[in-house]
Amino acid sequence: MRAAVSRESVLPSADRKLPVAGAGEVRVRVMNQDGAGVVDALGEGVRDLEPGDRVWLWAAETTQDYVVLPRHQAVRMHDYVPFEVGALLGLPALKAHRCLTRATGGPDRLTPGSLAGRTVLIADGAGPIGTAAIQLAKWAGATVEDSAGTPLDTADLDLTPEETANAVAAVAEAVNAGAFRQP
């Protein structure tokens, strides 16, 4: 397989052996070096995923063709969610969720209406974390302001409103199921 290897200020690629999934791990073929892909192999004891399942990843090094990681860091992704959205659901969505739930008096978990009546200021709403924060805050019922002063519209994501709602629901479903709790 090919993997990006950091040396000084360049990121050349290098040939590496295909990693093997150990007990409790999954191997994922990463799509376009983003945080989403297709399960390729299962380690011993993994029973709730199958090869071919589409997943988004969190806390994974994805600058390579394949990545092996603990099962709990690969979250099943609905077929209707594009891989590009799956890439946004990993660390950017985790960081956005954390920001939206760590404010004084804020909710511990986001649910529909959990931010109703609140105004949330998102700095850099055009970046991946800001984009995820906007979508999660809107889903949770907040009024959203962006420091860049641009209109906050799902059209900026090149997704239909239904695709955006489905993607946000997938993040919220995983968050609320406890998928992001560190062991």
Side-chain angles (χ1 to χ4, degrees), residues 77-92:
M77 189 168 66
H78 296 292
D79 289 341
Y80 55 74
V81 179
F83 284 113
E84 295 83 3
V85 172
L88 176 68
L89 301 181
L91 290 179

PDB file of all heavy atoms in Angstrom, residues 77-92:
ATOM      1  N   MET A  77     -21.891   4.181   8.471  1.00  0.00           N
ATOM      2  CA  MET A  77     -22.431   5.345   7.773  1.00  0.00           C
ATOM      3  C   MET A  77     -23.533   4.869   6.836  1.00  0.00           C
ATOM      4  O   MET A  77     -23.352   3.906   6.092  1.00  0.00           O
ATOM      5  CB  MET A  77     -21.297   6.018   6.981  1.00  0.00           C
ATOM      6  CG  MET A  77     -21.646   7.328   6.388  1.00  0.00           C
ATOM      7  SD  MET A  77     -20.166   8.202   5.786  1.00  0.00           S
ATOM      8  CE  MET A  77     -19.621   7.157   4.452  1.00  0.00           C
ATOM      9  N   HIS A  78     -24.664   5.557   6.871  1.00  0.00           N
ATOM     10  CA  HIS A  78     -25.779   5.207   5.987  1.00  0.00           C
ATOM     11  C   HIS A  78     -25.346   5.319   4.524  1.00  0.00           C
ATOM     12  O   HIS A  78     -24.519   6.146   4.168  1.00  0.00           O
ATOM     13  CB  HIS A  78     -26.968   6.134   6.244  1.00  0.00           C
ATOM     14  CG  HIS A  78     -27.537   5.993   7.614  1.00  0.00           C
ATOM     15  ND1 HIS A  78     -28.196   4.870   8.040  1.00  0.00           N
ATOM     16  CD2 HIS A  78     -27.532   6.841   8.676  1.00  0.00           C
ATOM     17  CE1 HIS A  78     -28.588   5.025   9.285  1.00  0.00           C
ATOM     18  NE2 HIS A  78     -28.192   6.212   9.702  1.00  0.00           N
ATOM     19  N   ASP A  79     -25.940   4.504   3.679  1.00  0.00           N
ATOM     20  CA  ASP A  79     -25.608   4.505   2.252  1.00  0.00           C
ATOM     21  C   ASP A  79     -25.877   5.842   1.580  1.00  0.00           C
ATOM     22  O   ASP A  79     -25.212   6.198   0.622  1.00  0.00           O
ATOM     23  CB  ASP A  79     -26.387   3.407   1.511  1.00  0.00           C
ATOM     24  CG  ASP A  79     -25.888   2.013   1.844  1.00  0.00           C
ATOM     25  OD1 ASP A  79     -24.743   1.890   2.332  1.00  0.00           O
ATOM     26  OD2 ASP A  79     -26.641   1.050   1.618  1.00  0.00           O
ATOM     27  N   TYR A  80     -26.856   6.597   2.074  1.00  0.00           N
ATOM     28  CA  TYR A  80     -27.201   7.866   1.433  1.00  0.00           C
ATOM     29  C   TYR A  80     -26.252   9.006   1.805  1.00  0.00           C
ATOM     30  O   TYR A  80     -26.341  10.088   1.252  1.00  0.00           O
ATOM     31  CB  TYR A  80     -28.645   8.269   1.738  1.00  0.00           C
ATOM     32  CG  TYR A  80     -28.987   8.341   3.213  1.00  0.00           C
ATOM     33  CD1 TYR A  80     -28.548   9.386   4.020  1.00  0.00           C
ATOM     34  CD2 TYR A  80     -29.761   7.354   3.798  1.00  0.00           C
ATOM     35  CE1 TYR A  80     -28.853   9.447   5.356  1.00  0.00           C
ATOM     36  CE2 TYR A  80     -30.086   7.407   5.139  1.00  0.00           C
ATOM     37  CZ  TYR A  80     -29.633   8.459   5.909  1.00  0.00           C
ATOM     38  OH  TYR A  80     -29.940   8.508   7.240  1.00  0.00           O
ATOM     39  N   VAL A  81     -25.333   8.790   2.748  1.00  0.00           N
ATOM     40  CA  VAL A  81     -24.383   9.831   3.140  1.00  0.00           C
ATOM     41  C   VAL A  81     -23.144   9.715   2.261  1.00  0.00           C
ATOM     42  O   VAL A  81     -22.468   8.684   2.271  1.00  0.00           O
ATOM     43  CB  VAL A  81     -23.999   9.716   4.632  1.00  0.00           C
ATOM     44  CG1 VAL A  81     -22.989  10.779   5.013  1.00  0.00           C
ATOM     45  CG2 VAL A  81     -25.236   9.801   5.516  1.00  0.00           C
ATOM     46  N   PRO A  82     -22.812  10.755   1.477  1.00  0.00           N
ATOM     47  CA  PRO A  82     -21.625  10.693   0.615  1.00  0.00           C
ATOM     48  C   PRO A  82     -20.335  10.594   1.442  1.00  0.00           C
ATOM     49  O   PRO A  82     -20.272  11.062   2.574  1.00  0.00           O
ATOM     50  CB  PRO A  82     -21.655  12.012  -0.156  1.00  0.00           C
ATOM     51  CG  PRO A  82     -23.000  12.598   0.069  1.00  0.00           C
ATOM     52  CD  PRO A  82     -23.536  12.017   1.335  1.00  0.00           C
ATOM     53  N   PHE A  83     -19.301   9.989   0.861  1.00  0.00           N
ATOM     54  CA  PHE A  83     -18.019   9.884   1.554  1.00  0.00           C
ATOM     55  C   PHE A  83     -17.479  11.260   1.938  1.00  0.00           C
ATOM     56  O   PHE A  83     -16.825  11.417   2.962  1.00  0.00           O
ATOM     57  CB  PHE A  83     -16.986   9.130   0.711  1.00  0.00           C
ATOM     58  CG  PHE A  83     -17.210   7.646   0.704  1.00  0.00           C
ATOM     59  CD1 PHE A  83     -17.589   7.000  -0.457  1.00  0.00           C
ATOM     60  CD2 PHE A  83     -17.042   6.892   1.850  1.00  0.00           C
ATOM     61  CE1 PHE A  83     -17.793   5.630  -0.470  1.00  0.00           C
ATOM     62  CE2 PHE A  83     -17.246   5.527   1.858  1.00  0.00           C
ATOM     63  CZ  PHE A  83     -17.636   4.890   0.688  1.00  0.00           C
ATOM     64  N   GLU A  84     -17.746  12.283   1.125  1.00  0.00           N
ATOM     65  CA  GLU A  84     -17.272  13.636   1.441  1.00  0.00           C
ATOM     66  C   GLU A  84     -17.878  14.134   2.742  1.00  0.00           C
ATOM     67  O   GLU A  84     -17.234  14.825   3.524  1.00  0.00           O
ATOM     68  CB  GLU A  84     -17.605  14.610   0.297  1.00  0.00           C
ATOM     69  CG  GLU A  84     -16.894  14.308  -1.004  1.00  0.00           C
ATOM     70  CD  GLU A  84     -17.573  13.229  -1.848  1.00  0.00           C
ATOM     71  OE1 GLU A  84     -18.644  12.723  -1.470  1.00  0.00           O
ATOM     72  OE2 GLU A  84     -17.003  12.883  -2.901  1.00  0.00           O
ATOM     73  N   VAL A  85     -19.131  13.798   2.989  1.00  0.00           N
ATOM     74  CA  VAL A  85     -19.769  14.164   4.257  1.00  0.00           C
ATOM     75  C   VAL A  85     -19.183  13.309   5.375  1.00  0.00           C
ATOM     76  O   VAL A  85     -18.918  13.795   6.473  1.00  0.00           O
ATOM     77  CB  VAL A  85     -21.296  14.024   4.172  1.00  0.00           C
ATOM     78  CG1 VAL A  85     -21.947  14.206   5.542  1.00  0.00           C
ATOM     79  CG2 VAL A  85     -21.863  15.035   3.184  1.00  0.00           C
ATOM     80  N   GLY A  86     -18.947  12.033   5.085  1.00  0.00           N
ATOM     81  CA  GLY A  86     -18.347  11.156   6.083  1.00  0.00           C
ATOM     82  C   GLY A  86     -17.018  11.680   6.586  1.00  0.00           C
ATOM     83  O   GLY A  86     -16.693  11.569   7.767  1.00  0.00           O
ATOM     84  N   ALA A  87     -16.248  12.296   5.704  1.00  0.00           N
ATOM     85  CA  ALA A  87     -14.960  12.875   6.112  1.00  0.00           C
ATOM     86  C   ALA A  87     -15.161  14.008   7.109  1.00  0.00           C
ATOM     87  O   ALA A  87     -14.329  14.227   7.983  1.00  0.00           O
ATOM     88  CB  ALA A  87     -14.201  13.378   4.888  1.00  0.00           C
ATOM     89  N   LEU A  88     -16.266  14.723   6.995  1.00  0.00           N
ATOM     90  CA  LEU A  88     -16.568  15.825   7.914  1.00  0.00           C
ATOM     91  C   LEU A  88     -17.070  15.314   9.254  1.00  0.00           C
ATOM     92  O   LEU A  88     -16.993  16.013  10.249  1.00  0.00           O
ATOM     93  CB  LEU A  88     -17.618  16.751   7.282  1.00  0.00           C
ATOM     94  CG  LEU A  88     -18.134  17.894   8.124  1.00  0.00           C
ATOM     95  CD1 LEU A  88     -17.018  18.918   8.354  1.00  0.00           C
ATOM     96  CD2 LEU A  88     -19.317  18.555   7.454  1.00  0.00           C
ATOM     97  N   LEU A  89     -17.568  14.092   9.304  1.00  0.00           N
ATOM     98  CA  LEU A  89     -18.188  13.586  10.517  1.00  0.00           C
ATOM     99  C   LEU A  89     -17.192  13.135  11.570  1.00  0.00           C
ATOM    100  O   LEU A  89     -17.572  12.906  12.705  1.00  0.00           O
ATOM    101  CB  LEU A  89     -19.125  12.420  10.177  1.00  0.00           C
ATOM    102  CG  LEU A  89     -20.247  12.735   9.204  1.00  0.00           C
ATOM    103  CD1 LEU A  89     -21.111  11.507   8.985  1.00  0.00           C
ATOM    104  CD2 LEU A  89     -21.075  13.902   9.667  1.00  0.00           C
ATOM    105  N   GLY A  90     -15.941  12.985  11.219  1.00  0.00           N
ATOM    106  CA  GLY A  90     -14.946  12.522  12.178  1.00  0.00           C
ATOM    107  C   GLY A  90     -14.536  13.611  13.138  1.00  0.00           C
ATOM    108  O   GLY A  90     -15.354  14.185  13.852  1.00  0.00           O
ATOM    109  N   LEU A  91     -13.272  13.945  13.158  1.00  0.00           N
ATOM    110  CA  LEU A  91     -12.768  14.919  14.123  1.00  0.00           C
ATOM    111  C   LEU A  91     -13.444  16.292  14.028  1.00  0.00           C
ATOM    112  O   LEU A  91     -13.723  16.893  15.070  1.00  0.00           O
ATOM    113  CB  LEU A  91     -11.252  15.042  14.006  1.00  0.00           C
ATOM    114  CG  LEU A  91     -10.504  13.806  14.499  1.00  0.00           C
ATOM    115  CD1 LEU A  91      -9.006  13.981  14.327  1.00  0.00           C
ATOM    116  CD2 LEU A  91     -10.833  13.482  15.936  1.00  0.00           C
ATOM    117  N   PRO A  92     -13.737  16.817  12.837  1.00  0.00           N
ATOM    118  CA  PRO A  92     -14.429  18.117  12.827  1.00  0.00           C
ATOM    119  C   PRO A  92     -15.752  18.089  13.582  1.00  0.00           C
ATOM    120  O   PRO A  92     -16.047  18.996  14.369  1.00  0.00           O
ATOM    121  CB  PRO A  92     -14.630  18.405  11.336  1.00  0.00           C
ATOM    122  CG  PRO A  92     -13.507  17.681  10.668  1.00  0.00           C
ATOM    123  CD  PRO A  92     -13.348  16.414  11.473  1.00  0.00           C
TER     124      PRO A  92
END
